Amino acid sequence: MRSSIRSSTRNSIRRLVSNHMIDRRSENVTVEEGDRRTWELAGQLVQIDSSDPGAYESQIEQWIYEWLTEEIEEKAGALKNRIELIQKEVMPGRFNLMARIPGREEAAASSLVYICHMDTVMLGEGWEEDTPALGAVVKEDRLYGRGACDMKSGLACALSAFSDMAELAGSTGELPVRPFVFIGTVDEEDFMRGVECAIRDGWVGREDWILDTEPTDGQIQVAHKGRTWFELTMQGITAHASNPWKGADAIAAMAEAVCHIRKAIGSCPVHEDLGMSTVTFGQITGGYRPYVVPDSCKVWIDMRLVPPTDTAAAKNIVEEAVKAAEAEIAGVRGSYTVTGDRPYVEKDSGSRLLASLKSVCDRVTGEDTYIGSFNGYTDTAVIAGTLGNRNCMSYGPGSLELAHKPNEYVPYEDVCRCRRVLTELARQEAFFPFAF
């Protein structure tokens, strides 16, 4: 069944790409074969539902596994049996995937790793009729669909680079100096359990050079705000709304706490690279009838923190908010739980991967590539925060502003640029690190 789905997906997207290529030829635009194949691959991946929550990654992971198997078999020549292809179950039916070209035995270099998540957010509503979520429609040099920029086009660029390096190994009969690795992870759009499993399994290490392909608007993004999550609960006393003084209003107390936290986070120090700390009260529940004093209220809080404000400082803010709410609304008691704690990651200007990646980007684009920070939290941020790895960063096609929205798309030129950068970086740092 998977083979028939894959064949159908491939044929349909090839028709779309073929039409697109005819248009570009009419404009006398020469398109490299590698660009065309990567653009086609991105469309194939978009057509596979890997929404989280939703279909999850089972189908797309198996599809990629089969694609890599064919690429390695076809291109790696006598070295094909040296290339590792590993599936690891993270949760029932949800597998991380790793493909690894080993380095030469005499070289003890760290690995160059491209890590990409295979899941997307929910398909969602609001898609235009001519650009459905799984349509992979190409229109005006843009590929539309859920995950087009976050991050199936980046995933396609990383896979394309791995295929090219397998072919380079096969044609030269030589393994790279530095091991070259592709990792596909699950659950990035939720609790990031895929990358946590990859860390535990030793797929990535402190000294590795690790790049994810999140959409970065043409920038290299090397720093991340911390991400701390709280569940804050207020317990009150129920009473009839006509006699509110006989109860203790948990929702009123929560309002006091929310205002205190919002103002406190807004007054935290601003960081030179990462900007200001922010807070979002993303979900709230409480009460059960409008004529009853609510005896319970819970809010889920997302804080994005910049140095020097860390989780310890955030806990102090929440504790002060609870005290203020309890003082204002007699009879209420507050409590909280930290449900997520990801440390901020600051830029390391001495990163060797950063220097190499910027050099390649500048050479490929002919421009001075901007180095910035990533507003969200990525797989490489988890690795950097957990292992203290200073060679972790993001570079991929598309714009984060389009991610998680209906009518998400990625421009053709972005995919071409990213593919060329990733392929050149792998060629330079894995196979010919002393030639540049």
Side-chain angles (χ1 to χ4, degrees):
M1 180 178 178
R2 282 180 172 138
S3 296
S4 64
I5 290 173
R6 182 176 174 191
S7 177
S8 173
T9 303
R10 176 175 289 175
N11 290 337
S12 60
I13 193 64
R14 275 179 174 165
R15 286 194 294 272
L16 292 168
V17 172
S18 187
N19 292 336
H20 176 64
M21 297 305 294
I22 291 171
D23 291 340
R24 295 191 69 83
R25 281 198 300 271
S26 69
E27 299 170 0
N28 297 317
V29 177
T30 301
V31 181
E32 292 186 5
E33 176 66 11
D35 293 343
R36 184 197 66 79
R37 290 185 70 246
T38 306
W39 186 243
E40 174 185 340
L41 179 57
Q44 291 173 313
L45 295 171
V46 167
Q47 286 193 319
I48 302 171
D49 185 0
S50 58
S51 50
D52 179 5
Y56 297 108
E57 308 89 352
S58 176
Q59 184 179 338
I60 196 170
E61 186 274 335
Q62 185 62 28
W63 195 97
I64 294 170
Y65 180 87
E66 293 174 5
W67 185 89
L68 282 167
T69 299
E70 292 178 7
E71 294 294 301
I72 293 167
E73 180 71 25
E74 176 184 339
K75 296 181 176 179
L79 294 176
K80 63 185 179 183
N81 293 328
R82 301 288 301 276
I83 298 178
E84 301 174 87
L85 196 53
I86 301 172
Q87 296 168 296
K88 173 62 184 293
E89 191 169 35
V90 179
M91 292 166 283
R94 303 174 68 181
F95 291 79
N96 280 349
L97 173 62
M98 179 176 69
R100 183 177 187 272
I101 305 175
R104 298 169 198 168
E105 292 183 4
E106 67 272 21
S110 56
S111 298
L112 175 62
V113 182
Y114 292 167
I115 188 166
C116 310
H117 64 85
M118 299 178 290
D119 59 332
T120 70
V121 295
M122 294 184 295
L123 300 182
E125 300 179 352
W127 293 83
E128 299 294 335
E129 187 174 342
D130 63 344
T131 56
L134 299 176
V137 172
V138 175
K139 185 172 68 171
E140 298 177 348
D141 285 352
R142 296 171 175 176
L143 173 65
Y144 285 83
R146 175 56 75 219
C149 71
D150 186 16
M151 59 181 305
K152 290 182 176 180
S153 57
L155 175 58
C157 291
L159 288 168
S160 179
F162 189 90
S163 173
D164 287 347
M165 294 310 103
E167 184 172 26
L168 181 57
S171 63
T172 61
E174 292 281 349
L175 292 171
V177 174
R178 182 194 305 275
F180 181 57
V181 181
F182 164 81
I183 297 175
T185 61
V186 301
D187 196 49
E188 193 273 349
E189 296 290 5
D190 197 2
F191 291 102
M192 310 183 93
R193 288 167 288 197
V195 68
E196 289 176 339
C197 181
I199 293 169
R200 290 194 302 271
D201 290 341
W203 287 10
V204 291
R206 180 184 174 90
E207 303 304 322
D208 290 334
W209 292 16
I210 307 173
L211 182 70
D212 70 54
T213 56
E214 296 281 1
T216 61
D217 293 287
Q219 300 179 12
I220 301 169
Q221 295 181 340
V222 298
H224 302 264
K225 293 182 179 182
R227 190 186 74 181
T228 304
W229 288 349
F230 292 87
E231 287 183 11
L232 176 59
T233 302
M234 291 292 172
Q235 294 293 338
I237 302 170
T238 188
H240 196 281
S242 63
N243 299 301
W245 56 86
K246 293 185 177 181
D249 191 329
I251 292 178
M254 186 63 78
E256 296 289 338
V258 164
C259 289
H260 182 99
I261 292 168
R262 184 178 62 82
K263 292 176 181 178
I265 291 295
S267 65
C268 288
V270 177
H271 188 266
E272 180 181 7
D273 292 324
L274 293 169
M276 62 185 296
S277 295
T278 61
V279 60
T280 298
F281 304 93
Q283 187 178 356
I284 190 168
T285 182
Y288 48 93
R289 287 292 186 272
Y291 48 81
V292 178
V293 175
D295 63 352
S296 181
C297 185
K298 178 181 286 189
V299 66
W300 286 260
I301 305 171
D302 180 309
M303 294 185 184
R304 304 297 169 119
L305 305 176
V306 306
T309 307
D310 56 11
T311 296
K315 288 168 67 175
N316 288 336
I317 289 172
V318 172
E319 288 167 4
E320 289 298 321
V322 168
K323 291 178 183 177
E326 291 175 343
E328 184 68 23
I329 309 297
V332 166
R333 291 292 176 265
S335 62
Y336 70 88
T337 302
V338 177
T339 59
D341 184 4
R342 306 285 189 190
Y344 45 70
V345 177
E346 296 184 83
K347 177 175 70 177
D348 181 358
S349 298
S351 164
R352 292 180 296 158
L353 174 58
L354 177 58
S356 182
L357 177 57
K358 187 178 187 308
S359 173
V360 171
C361 287
D362 292 352
R363 190 162 65 245
V364 169
T365 65
E367 299 176 354
D368 183 15
T369 305
Y370 183 80
I371 300 172
S373 60
F374 197 89
N375 286 338
Y377 214 81
T378 70
D379 279 348
T380 53
V382 175
I383 295 167
T386 303
L387 299 179
N389 186 318
R390 307 304 291 179
N391 288 291
C392 289
M393 54 205 63
S394 304
Y395 182 82
S399 172
L400 190 64
E401 291 186 359
L402 299 172
H404 301 189
K405 294 183 177 181
N407 307 307
E408 175 184 353
Y409 68 83
V410 65
Y412 176 77
E413 268 68 11
D414 272 19
V415 175
C416 296
R417 167 183 52 79
C418 185
R419 180 202 71 82
R420 295 172 188 177
V421 167
L422 263 60
T423 299
E424 181 63 19
L425 180 68
R427 187 189 307 272
Q428 173 177 307
E429 293 303 332
F431 278 87
F432 307 111
F434 309 112
F436 293 86

